[in-house]
């Protein structure tokens, strides 16, 4: 596809779920913003900062959280020069004049994104650019305007699923996803925008170490609290009630509750005041520490269930949720009533080998490099810095087309 057609396709992708009126409003708003960006774009030619890797954090908040520190340390220990910057929003870019005239014509509504990419490429020279912000149109222009020796690698920060339409955008040289489940998602469902080579690498943060089975007593459970956006939802409250009812019927068990780091811990904080069998884990404790002495984890639908599986700790999902992570495919219990919870708990007795196989298969489906996730990603980046192309697991959209053909053949 010609570059100009690719840019027009990006514009269609950004508006394809909008009504005709919304598309018109979007076109006008972004075109006016682009005009302002054109007027504020810098035209100086200062010397760029040379480095091996440029990491573009999606936001200042993400940068402060420090979740990529382990990856940054691994790269720097290997002798690479790493620079960091923050994507921020278009308003901040306009205010700070982080804009340069794009080297080639672009559609008017996309001018700001193109000018931001041109500015990043003018301020930094790096053989590898790492992006993380999903659905960020600047990535298309980073790839289009980059020098021939530069490659754009997008880092997944979670398991890919259709929980977010922004994951339909994959216009990068390389896309580092955790494992086969993410690749399967990219190959099915609605078509995405862009072309990319998909790699298995990461995540960029350490995972829980496999737990020694002997450390788990038989009468303690761990409940994982929800974040602030879910604590008041009917689904989460149903999960909590399901747990409380089972606990009332089994007074010889203790339920430890690990509140979400950003959550209030309700309703468990209130219930713990009147129930000695409910206890809250210490603030700041890691998930690995919380799982060290429990028989199983109870949880709502959260990515933490994959961390539990990596550690080899039985996990039971409470409540009715869409099965984004394919628990049922691998035999991870999902229960909605007391009967189902009783059956799931009964499977803990004498079923260690079956549970170990289930958890290993479930974790392996989602994360290819469970033992050395950060090292796998660091090695991929170092390969790119050296100018060597890593071996992709698949290329999109070709892999998606092959998947659709295979499905048609199977059903015909």
């Amino acid at each position: 596809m010609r570059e100009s057609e690719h840019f027009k396709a990006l514009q269609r992708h950004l508006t394809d779920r909008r009504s005709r009126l919304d598309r018109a409003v979007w076109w006008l708003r972004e075109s006016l913003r682009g005009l302002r960006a054109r007027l504020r774009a810098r035209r100086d030619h200062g010397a760029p900062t040379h480095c091996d890797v440029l990491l573009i954090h999606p936001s200042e908040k993400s940068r402060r959280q420090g979740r990529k520190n382990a990856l940054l340390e691994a790269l720097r220990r290997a002798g690479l020069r790493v620079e960091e910057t923050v994507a921020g929003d278009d308003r901040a870019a306009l205010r700070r004049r982080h804009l340069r005239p794009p080297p080639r014509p672009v559609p008017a509504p996309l001018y700001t994104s193109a000018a931001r990419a041109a500015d990043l490429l003018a301020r930094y020279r790096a053989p590898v650019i790492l992006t993380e912000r999903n659905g960020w149109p600047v990535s298309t222009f980073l790839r289009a305007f980059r020098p021939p020796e530069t490659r754009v690698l997008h880092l997944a920060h979670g398991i890919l699923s259709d929980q977010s339409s922004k994951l339909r955008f994959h216009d990068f040289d390389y896309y580092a996803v955790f494992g086969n489940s993410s690749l399967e998602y990219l190959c099915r469902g609605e078509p995405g925008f862009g072309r990319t080579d998909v790699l298995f690498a990461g995540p960029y943060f350490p995972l829980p170490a496999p737990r020694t089975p002997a450390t788990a007593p038989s009468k303690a459970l761990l409940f994982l609290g929800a974040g602030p956006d879910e604590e008041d939802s009917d689904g989460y409250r149903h999960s909590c009630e399901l747990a409380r009812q089972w606990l009332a019927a089994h007074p010889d068990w203790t339920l430890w509750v690990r509140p979400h780091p950003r959550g209030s811990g309700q309703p468990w904080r209130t219930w713990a005041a009147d129930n000695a069998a409910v206890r809250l884990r210490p603030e700041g404790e890691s998930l690995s520490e919380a799982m060290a002495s429990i028989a199983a984890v109870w949880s709502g639908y959260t990515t933490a269930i994959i961390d539990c599986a990596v550690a080899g700790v039985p996990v039971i999902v409470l409540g009715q949720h869409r099965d984004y992570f394919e628990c049922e495919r691998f035999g991870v219990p999902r229960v909605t009533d007391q009967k189902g919870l009783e059956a799931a708990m009964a499977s803990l007795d004498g079923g260690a080998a079956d549970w170990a196989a289930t958890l290993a298969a479930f974790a392996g489906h989602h994360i290819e490099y469970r033992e050395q996730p950060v090292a796998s990603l660091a090695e991929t980046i170092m390969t790119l810095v050296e100018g060597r192309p890593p071996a992709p697991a698949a290329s999109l959209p070709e892999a998606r087309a092959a998947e659709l053909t295979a499905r048609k053949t199977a059903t015909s």
Side-chain angles (χ1 to χ4, degrees):
M1 181 186 295
R2 291 170 50 194
E3 190 175 71
S4 60
E5 292 301 317
H6 189 64
F7 296 159
K8 292 177 182 177
L10 172 60
Q11 180 173 320
R12 290 193 296 272
H13 170 78
L14 295 174
T15 59
D16 65 357
R17 296 192 175 190
R18 299 172 183 266
S19 67
R20 181 177 296 181
L21 176 60
D22 284 346
R23 284 198 298 270
V25 171
W26 178 88
W27 189 94
L28 179 60
R29 182 185 68 243
E30 296 304 320
S31 295
L32 290 174
R33 183 174 289 168
L35 178 60
R36 187 181 175 202
R38 188 186 299 271
L39 296 173
R40 290 189 60 78
R42 295 179 181 272
R43 288 164 174 78
D44 57 276
H45 299 283
T49 298
H50 288 266
C51 56
D52 297 305
V53 179
L54 172 63
L55 170 59
I56 306 175
H57 296 276
S59 65
E60 186 58 45
K61 178 182 177 181
S62 174
R63 182 176 188 169
R64 289 196 305 268
Q65 286 176 334
R67 298 188 75 206
K68 292 179 280 293
N69 285 351
L71 174 62
L72 293 171
E73 290 170 5
L75 295 175
R76 286 166 176 151
R77 280 198 308 269
L80 300 185
R81 294 166 297 170
V82 182
E83 292 290 332
E84 302 174 62
T85 189
V86 175
D89 57 23
D90 289 345
R91 292 181 181 178
L94 285 163
R95 186 172 63 253
R96 297 168 183 168
R97 298 190 67 190
H98 284 173
L99 308 154
R100 307 279 175 134
R104 292 184 284 284
V106 300
L110 301 180
Y111 186 92
T112 304
S113 294
R116 294 188 63 185
D119 177 73
L120 285 164
L121 293 170
R123 288 192 287 131
Y124 299 97
R125 286 286 188 274
V128 177
I129 297 175
L130 304 179
T131 62
E132 191 194 355
R133 186 170 176 179
N134 293 322
W136 195 37
V138 174
S139 297
T140 286
F141 298 105
L142 285 173
R143 185 182 189 184
F145 302 156
R146 60 169 168 76
E149 68 276 8
T150 295
R151 293 294 178 267
V152 178
L153 172 65
H154 189 71
L155 309 180
H157 60 260
I159 306 300
L160 306 190
S161 75
D162 55 2
Q163 287 176 293
S164 173
S165 62
K166 291 183 178 180
L167 298 177
R168 294 170 58 230
F169 179 99
H170 44 71
D171 201 22
F172 324 104
D173 292 308
Y174 297 99
Y175 196 168
V177 303
F178 300 172
N180 197 58
S181 66
S182 293
L183 177 58
E184 286 186 0
Y185 160 71
L186 292 171
C187 289
R188 66 173 182 261
E190 296 183 39
F193 172 78
R195 290 183 173 272
T196 190
D197 283 340
V198 180
L199 307 167
F200 291 156
Y204 49 67
F205 45 85
L207 296 169
R211 192 186 64 172
T212 304
T215 64
S218 59
K219 297 293 183 180
L221 300 162
L222 176 67
F223 186 97
L224 301 180
D229 295 336
E230 299 178 36
E231 279 186 322
D232 293 328
S233 70
D234 292 339
Y236 178 66
R237 292 296 171 133
H238 171 66
S239 299
C240 295
E241 281 291 346
L242 192 61
R244 185 166 73 155
Q245 290 171 18
W246 189 93
L247 194 63
H250 299 80
D252 53 335
W253 283 78
T254 298
L255 182 66
W256 288 95
V257 178
R258 182 176 186 261
H260 190 280
R262 293 182 287 106
S264 69
Q266 293 296 351
W268 293 105
R269 291 193 185 277
T270 299
W271 293 350
D274 301 320
N275 190 341
V278 176
R279 305 177 186 178
L280 271 63
R281 301 301 302 186
E283 185 176 348
E285 182 182 57
S286 70
L287 179 58
S288 293
E289 292 169 330
M291 292 191 297
S293 58
I294 53 97
V297 171
W298 289 354
S299 175
Y301 209 81
T302 167
T303 54
I305 64 177
I306 299 172
D307 293 272
C308 298
V310 169
V313 180
V315 60
I316 300 170
V317 180
L318 308 186
Q320 185 65 46
H321 311 274
R322 187 172 177 183
D323 194 12
Y324 288 110
F325 303 131
E326 301 178 285
C327 295
E328 292 182 354
R329 174 178 173 182
F330 292 92
V332 174
R334 300 169 64 230
V335 302
T336 58
D337 55 28
Q338 290 300 310
K339 182 179 178 180
L341 185 50
E342 287 285 359
M345 290 298 294
S347 71
L348 297 175
D349 295 329
D354 291 340
W355 266 105
T358 293
L359 296 169
F362 181 66
H365 177 60
H366 291 295
I367 304 179
E368 183 75 12
Y369 295 99
R370 300 180 297 285
E371 295 182 357
Q372 299 290 335
V374 178
S376 70
L377 185 54
E379 289 168 6
T380 296
I381 294 168
M382 288 186 279
T383 296
L384 286 169
V385 169
E386 293 167 0
R388 296 184 289 117
S395 296
L396 296 175
E398 290 80 2
R400 184 178 186 278
E403 171 70 14
L404 293 176
T405 299
R407 287 187 187 181
K408 290 179 181 178
T409 302
T411 56
S412 62

